Amino acid sequence: MSDGNQPSTLDEHLKPQAKPEDELSESLAVPEKHEPEWLEGVPLVMAVSGTTLVVFLMLLDISIVSTAIPQITNQFHSLDDVAWYGSAYTIASASLQPLTGKFYNYFQLKWTFLSFFAFFEIGSLICGVANSSKMLIIGRAVAGMGSSGMLNGAMNILAAAVPMHKRPTLMGIIMGIAQLGLVSGPLIGGAFTTSSTWRWCFYINLPIGALVGALLIFARIPEQKPKEKASQVVRSMLLYKFDWIGFVLFAPACIQLLLALQYGGNQYPWDSVTVIGLFCGTIATLLVFIAWERHMGRDAMIPGYLLRDRIVVCCCMFFMMVFGMTMILSYYLPIYFQSVRGKSALVSGVNLLPNILCQLVMAVISGVLTGKLGYYLPWGVFGAMLNSIGSGLLSNLTPDTSVPDWAGYQSLVGFGRGAATQVPMVAIQNQVTADEVSTALALMTCSQTLGGAIFLAVGQVIFAQALRVKIPQHAPAVDPETVIGAGATGFRDVVSLQDLPGVLTAYAKSVDRVFYLGVGLSVAQFVFAWGVGLKNVKKDKGKVGGEVADDKP
């Protein structure tokens, strides 16, 4: 018999033996109660300023390269590599994003965030000093690897820095200012390319990066939960918890999908063996990935229980639609101004100011009012309605559309995007627990990147096919392939003055067809907005993740 305090020998033999991964889980287990350390005053300003600049640079880097590409191809004689300047960045970013949730879940927020940002800065430096097209593509891939954890990291830092009811206001400020990078990229890139060199499109990230480092290195960034020291985490390797096999399956699926969209209708026909093979490979790899994630359970890179949560799925889909629409506007509004209206890259960027300023104003207003009133659902619905109306009006642009008209159309979309963008970010944090925030945000940012890449590729297909139909209608003497091959601004050099008005009309109507896609994405936003949940962020002022026990579906 045992003495009541010590287990018997028989009890010891019958006791189940802990698995190594169970021991690891226990060593990294989060206590049930963790008192959050909210930031105020100067530390909060430093944290918010640093993360805002990082997200600004990430979004700027996506669009600024578009106006530099003509000069880059001229210098490197690399017209065949144009697609890779964008694809290398997108593929590297999208394939890594789900895994970034694991890094933020187990490593210190500040140093993980700065590590991803360092990769981004190194990639920018490689692009700036590139002496060949291949070197530039490698730099874009490295920058994409860094960007994979930047938006996710910024949202994680914000979630750990302030309580739930204060996040909408700060998130509105962060995203309002940061999205200036996306829509002002063509303006800044055009100014650098015209007045200096395209290399400054990448060098600009370096001095701003130094400022970010100064802000964040000395800033105090609290944690959402207690974490082991980095040395202990690295020493144990976390092979099971990090789901490396899931990453090895997910990354090729993303790469194949994005390559299929990139090649289809460009390098290869849509019905070619190459494109069909890539789509089939994507489906096959995804099926194996889904089976593996189901086997991993809660330790999966993309846990199945999150994908079964209606609010999480609707937030991801809503964000995908918003960013897809944003990318379409960011690319095709400059095409309209430069190609149809004959404006320079610099002037076309100035013409985007109604969109930029209205988006910034509404992002701040909606964030403040969400914090005051507590409800974010109305802003998602309202923003989707404005986006639908604005995109519909933009689909009526002609070569002679007046300034008040196109400025007003842009303003509607700017107000709509400003109201809608932060809604899924607030809703998803309000739905999940502190342990799930990193993974859920990584899933949402992956949806954003894939949405931008997928719908931008779809928009390109719509635009090219529309040109092939509209040019014979409005300029029968002009070969559509000649116009398409000449580029967005070069077609004026290969078209006679007599045929130019017809080509401009065809170009305007083709851009309009792309904005039809924006209308469809906006309607989808309206549908998914109703699924983000009608919750009050003011009800939960003490928890990091935002979960409210009596309000969880």
Side-chain angles (χ1 to χ4, degrees):
M1 296 291 292
S2 65
D3 59 2
N5 294 322
Q6 298 295 327
S8 65
T9 305
L10 180 60
D11 291 335
E12 291 178 351
H13 284 292
L14 293 177
K15 184 178 180 180
Q17 297 298 312
K19 296 179 181 180
E21 59 267 21
D22 294 333
E23 294 175 358
L24 183 58
S25 298
E26 293 175 3
S27 67
L28 295 175
V30 181
E32 293 184 1
K33 293 184 178 180
H34 169 61
E35 190 67 26
E37 301 178 17
W38 306 128
L39 296 182
E40 294 180 352
V42 175
L44 179 60
V45 171
M46 293 175 66
V48 171
S49 300
T51 53
T52 301
L53 286 173
V54 168
V55 182
F56 172 84
L57 288 179
M58 183 193 77
L59 296 179
L60 176 68
D61 199 60
I62 292 175
S63 61
I64 195 173
V65 72
S66 61
T67 48
I69 283 177
Q71 291 296 327
I72 294 172
T73 55
N74 290 341
Q75 180 169 341
F76 293 145
H77 307 288
S78 57
L79 191 60
D80 292 339
D81 292 339
V82 166
W84 283 104
Y85 298 151
S87 298
Y89 184 94
T90 305
I91 289 172
S93 181
S95 59
L96 278 171
Q97 274 171 342
L99 191 63
T100 63
K102 293 289 186 180
F103 282 96
Y104 284 111
N105 200 34
Y106 292 113
F107 290 98
Q108 299 292 317
L109 288 178
K110 178 167 76 172
W111 300 112
T112 304
F113 185 66
L114 287 173
S115 298
F116 280 112
F117 186 59
F119 267 95
F120 175 80
E121 291 286 286
I122 292 171
S124 299
L125 179 61
I126 293 173
C127 291
V129 301
N131 54 18
S132 68
S133 181
K134 288 184 174 59
M135 187 174 178
L136 180 65
I137 293 170
I138 292 172
R140 293 294 288 164
V142 174
M145 292 171 61
S147 73
S148 66
M150 287 162 55
L151 179 58
N152 183 14
M155 294 301 103
N156 271 280
I157 289 175
L158 185 62
V162 295
M164 189 68 229
H165 67 284
K166 291 184 178 180
R167 291 177 208 168
T169 301
L170 293 177
M171 203 171 295
I173 295 172
I174 291 174
M175 294 309 300
I177 296 175
Q179 286 214 2
L180 293 178
L182 188 64
V183 291
S184 64
L187 168 62
I188 298 173
F192 282 142
T193 305
T194 303
S195 60
S196 180
T197 171
W198 59 264
R199 296 182 185 275
W200 270 104
C201 293
F202 304 105
Y203 286 150
I204 189 177
N205 296 330
L206 303 180
I208 301 178
L211 176 60
V212 170
L215 286 170
L216 291 181
I217 287 176
F218 298 103
R220 181 174 64 87
I221 305 295
E223 296 293 329
Q224 297 165 319
K225 62 179 184 178
K227 295 177 182 177
E228 294 287 326
K229 293 182 178 179
S231 58
Q232 294 175 328
V233 176
V234 172
R235 195 160 50 241
S236 61
M237 293 303 293
L238 291 174
L239 291 176
Y240 189 77
K241 287 290 185 180
F242 261 62
D243 190 15
W244 295 110
I245 295 178
F247 168 70
V248 169
L249 292 170
F250 181 80
C254 280
I255 292 171
Q256 291 176 93
L257 174 62
L258 295 176
L259 285 178
L261 294 171
Q262 186 68 54
Y263 288 155
N266 294 315
Q267 285 92 331
Y268 303 97
W270 284 103
D271 58 353
S272 67
V273 175
T274 300
V275 175
I276 294 175
L278 285 170
F279 278 124
C280 292
T282 300
I283 295 172
T285 310
L286 279 177
L287 291 175
V288 178
F289 171 73
I290 292 170
W292 174 257
E293 296 297 272
R294 184 179 179 85
H295 165 72
M296 289 292 292
R298 296 186 69 87
D299 291 324
M301 185 175 69
I302 303 178
Y305 70 90
L306 285 180
L307 296 179
R308 291 190 294 270
D309 189 309
R310 171 182 57 83
I311 292 179
V312 171
V313 172
C314 286
C315 287
C316 292
M317 295 304 297
F318 185 89
F319 207 37
M320 175 184 285
M321 302 304 158
V322 171
F323 198 72
M325 183 203 70
T326 301
M327 290 296 289
I328 287 172
L329 293 176
S330 299
Y331 273 72
Y332 284 94
L333 277 176
I335 286 178
Y336 168 75
F337 287 120
Q338 294 181 43
S339 302
V340 179
R341 307 298 288 252
K343 306 298 183 181
S344 67
L346 183 61
V347 174
S348 72
V350 174
N351 289 344
L352 295 176
L353 284 178
N355 187 5
I356 297 171
L357 297 178
C358 291
Q359 183 266 332
L360 173 60
V361 170
M362 183 55 77
V364 176
I365 291 175
S366 63
V368 172
L369 291 180
T370 299
K372 295 288 186 181
L373 303 176
Y375 292 100
Y376 44 79
L377 174 62
W379 294 108
V381 175
F382 178 62
M385 293 171 63
L386 289 181
N387 287 334
S388 300
I389 297 170
S391 297
L393 292 172
L394 284 172
S395 67
N396 294 314
L397 292 176
T398 69
D400 302 316
T401 301
S402 65
V403 173
D405 284 345
W406 58 250
Y409 302 162
Q410 285 192 69
S411 299
L412 282 175
V413 179
F415 282 130
R417 198 173 68 250
T421 299
Q422 63 171 314
V423 169
M425 300 179 185
V426 176
I428 204 168
Q429 293 181 55
N430 200 46
Q431 173 66 7
V432 302
T433 64
D435 291 342
E436 300 165 344
V437 166
S438 298
T439 303
L441 287 173
L443 182 60
M444 189 183 68
T445 54
C446 182
S447 301
Q448 171 205 32
T449 302
L450 289 176
I454 290 171
F455 293 117
L456 198 57
V458 173
Q460 174 60 32
V461 173
I462 293 173
F463 181 67
Q465 293 302 319
L467 279 177
R468 293 185 173 96
V469 173
K470 296 298 179 181
I471 289 177
Q473 292 178 0
H474 299 278
V478 178
D479 178 20
E481 299 303 326
T482 301
V483 173
I484 294 173
T489 56
F491 70 85
R492 291 174 179 267
D493 298 329
V494 299
V495 175
S496 65
L497 292 177
Q498 180 181 356
D499 293 323
L500 184 59
V503 173
L504 293 179
T505 300
Y507 238 87
K509 290 184 177 294
S510 299
V511 172
D512 292 345
R513 295 299 179 272
V514 179
F515 290 143
Y516 286 165
L517 176 60
V519 175
L521 294 176
S522 300
V523 173
Q525 293 169 31
F526 181 79
V527 174
F528 288 117
W530 293 101
V532 301
L534 184 60
K535 291 188 175 184
N536 190 338
V537 298
K538 296 177 70 175
K539 286 184 179 180
D540 184 33
K541 297 189 178 183
K543 294 184 180 179
V544 181
E547 182 184 75
V548 185
D550 60 357
D551 200 21
K552 196 170 180 78

